[in-house]
Amino acid sequence: MSFLCEYCSNIYTSKYLLSRHQNSESCKKIQNVINNYNNRNNEKIKEIENKFQDKIKEIEANYSEKIKLLELEVSKLTQENTSLKSENKSLEKSNESFRKIVEKAATKSTNTIKNNNNYNHNNYLNYISTEPLKMSDIPKQIKQFVNCETVMYDDSDFHDHIVDNILKDKNGKDKILCTDINRKNFTYKDETSGELISDPELERLREQFKKGSDIRQIRRDLLEKLVVEYEENGSIGVDPYKRFSDIIQKLNFGSPFVDHVAKKTYVKRCSTVKTNTLEKNSEIINKIEEDIEYSEEEYQKLLEEFGDEPFPILGPPTGQSGE
């Protein structure tokens, strides 16, 4: 049987010899070296463990502080939410009262609105052509009346050319009426239903004009014509490319065209007492609905006519005491 020294790996045949060896000076030196090494390692391990524990404590302290801050923020938000809920309930109650006042005003003006609309409808029918504006025919008509020659007319003549040949019937009566010259609102008969329909800024009509215009062909013919004229004139005068850029803008059928048609086809509505009353009532209602400032006179008028109690949201006009 053999015995191994755990320090120097020597092998002995008996425990006695192993013990005597381990008590020898040479083996003890090895033992001291090993023990010192282990002690240093243990110290390093303890140092690392201490640093690790300190870091954990630091992290826990930071998170604890952040948690406290978050708890304070949550508490603040909870209070704000409670306050907002209370305010929202108050606003809902106020809005309901407010809505009732508006409904009363709107109900009272319904008959005036109906009468006024009927009057305006009949008034427009007196001026507008019985022939509807056929959108489906517009592209074909544009190809016929808008070409290199006509686009070279000055602005006024070009726009008149469009109005006279496309927007009037055979008897010279307008197929389009401008009903609001400030907002550039236009009315014409729908080709399917025959009813009067609105087309602000003539957007639908101008879209058909653009679709029907053979822009590529017109651009090519126009530029060639302008260059030839310029060269035949000894290259004197306005640069052909500058003229081309100015002229071709007509095919956008933009604001100059819309303004021209508006002036040509504007029908001014007759003013009546009912119309004035409708416009006044509508103005007051719109101001209320849009939550903007209104006059003391309007405020008092609404209170007297429609309100059983003061306005809960708006109150009296800015700068007024409401007494």
Side-chain angles (χ1 to χ4, degrees):
M1 187 176 181
S2 59
F3 298 91
L4 179 67
C5 177
E6 60 183 298
Y7 302 108
C8 57
S9 300
N10 289 329
I11 300 174
Y12 298 91
T13 58
S14 67
K15 284 185 178 181
Y16 171 76
L17 293 175
L18 175 63
S19 176
R20 191 174 68 175
H21 163 73
Q22 290 180 342
N23 288 323
S24 68
E25 186 176 351
S26 59
C27 187
K28 284 186 176 181
K29 287 182 179 180
I30 295 173
Q31 291 176 30
N32 289 333
V33 171
I34 292 173
N35 289 333
N36 289 335
Y37 176 78
N38 289 336
N39 289 335
R40 285 197 300 271
N41 279 349
N42 289 335
E43 289 176 358
K44 288 183 179 180
I45 290 172
K46 286 183 180 180
E47 183 180 352
I48 292 172
E49 287 179 346
N50 290 335
K51 287 183 178 179
F52 184 70
Q53 291 297 328
D54 291 341
K55 191 66 177 177
I56 289 176
K57 290 179 180 179
E58 181 183 349
I59 291 173
E60 288 178 345
N62 289 337
Y63 271 103
S64 177
E65 184 67 24
K66 288 182 179 179
I67 289 171
K68 288 181 180 178
L69 291 175
L70 287 173
E71 288 176 346
L72 289 174
E73 186 68 20
V74 169
S75 176
K76 181 180 177 182
L77 289 174
T78 301
Q79 291 177 359
E80 290 180 356
N81 187 48
T82 303
S83 177
L84 287 173
K85 283 183 178 180
S86 176
E87 184 178 347
N88 186 51
K89 287 183 180 179
S90 176
L91 287 173
E92 286 178 353
K93 184 177 179 181
S94 298
N95 284 339
E96 179 62 22
S97 176
F98 187 59
R99 182 186 62 79
K100 289 179 180 179
I101 293 175
V102 174
E103 283 183 352
K104 287 181 182 179
T107 300
K108 186 171 182 179
S109 63
T110 298
N111 292 332
T112 306
I113 292 172
K114 287 182 179 179
N115 293 336
N116 188 68
N117 286 342
N118 289 335
Y119 174 80
N120 289 334
H121 184 272
N122 294 331
N123 188 34
Y124 296 150
L125 289 176
N126 292 330
Y127 291 94
I128 201 167
S129 170
T130 57
E131 183 181 337
L133 186 66
K134 295 181 179 180
M135 285 289 180
S136 55
D137 290 345
I138 294 297
K140 182 170 61 178
Q141 291 175 311
I142 283 293
K143 282 184 173 64
Q144 178 183 354
F145 294 107
V146 178
N147 51 50
C148 175
E149 299 297 329
T150 59
V151 82
M152 291 183 69
Y153 296 165
D154 65 34
D155 285 0
S156 180
D157 289 342
F158 176 74
H159 296 151
D160 279 340
H161 176 69
I162 299 295
V163 172
D164 294 340
N165 289 287
I166 299 179
L167 305 183
K168 289 181 182 289
D169 62 17
K170 295 178 181 179
N171 298 318
K173 204 164 188 179
D174 292 320
K175 295 181 184 179
I176 286 180
L177 295 181
C178 175
T179 55
D180 189 332
I181 199 165
N182 293 322
R183 295 183 177 87
K184 299 298 182 294
N185 195 36
F186 295 83
T187 294
Y188 48 79
K189 285 187 178 181
D190 180 65
E191 63 179 311
T192 302
S193 65
E195 296 294 328
L196 291 177
I197 60 175
S198 178
D199 188 3
E201 299 282 348
L202 290 175
E203 288 186 6
R204 290 180 58 205
L205 180 63
R206 290 189 293 126
E207 186 64 27
Q208 294 301 313
F209 282 176
K210 292 175 184 178
K211 286 182 180 179
S213 301
D214 191 351
I215 294 178
R216 289 186 178 179
Q217 185 63 45
I218 294 174
R219 287 170 64 93
R220 185 164 50 248
D221 294 344
L222 176 62
L223 185 57
E224 181 180 350
K225 184 178 180 64
L226 293 175
V227 170
V228 169
E229 287 183 356
Y230 183 72
E231 291 175 348
E232 289 178 349
N233 196 35
S235 298
I236 299 174
V238 181
D239 182 83
Y241 295 97
K242 175 66 169 61
R243 288 186 64 196
F244 172 82
S245 177
D246 294 338
I247 292 172
I248 208 68
Q249 294 299 319
K250 295 188 181 75
L251 296 183
N252 290 328
F253 300 101
S255 296
F257 173 75
V258 175
D259 292 342
H260 187 90
V261 177
K263 292 175 183 177
K264 282 282 188 178
T265 63
Y266 178 55
V267 175
K268 189 174 182 181
R269 292 184 299 176
C270 295
S271 298
T272 63
V273 174
K274 289 184 178 180
T275 300
N276 290 334
T277 302
L278 169 65
E279 291 177 351
K280 183 64 176 177
N281 286 345
S282 297
E283 181 183 353
I284 295 173
I285 293 170
N286 287 337
K287 285 183 178 180
I288 295 174
E289 291 176 338
E290 294 172 7
D291 195 15
I292 62 176
E293 291 187 3
Y294 49 94
S295 69
E296 172 70 14
E297 180 183 352
E298 292 170 278
Y299 173 76
Q300 292 299 332
K301 183 176 180 180
L302 276 172
L303 279 181
E304 293 170 5
E305 287 196 61
F306 309 114
D308 297 323
E309 54 183 290
F311 289 124
I313 299 176
L314 298 178
T318 303
Q320 300 290 338
S321 65
E323 296 181 355

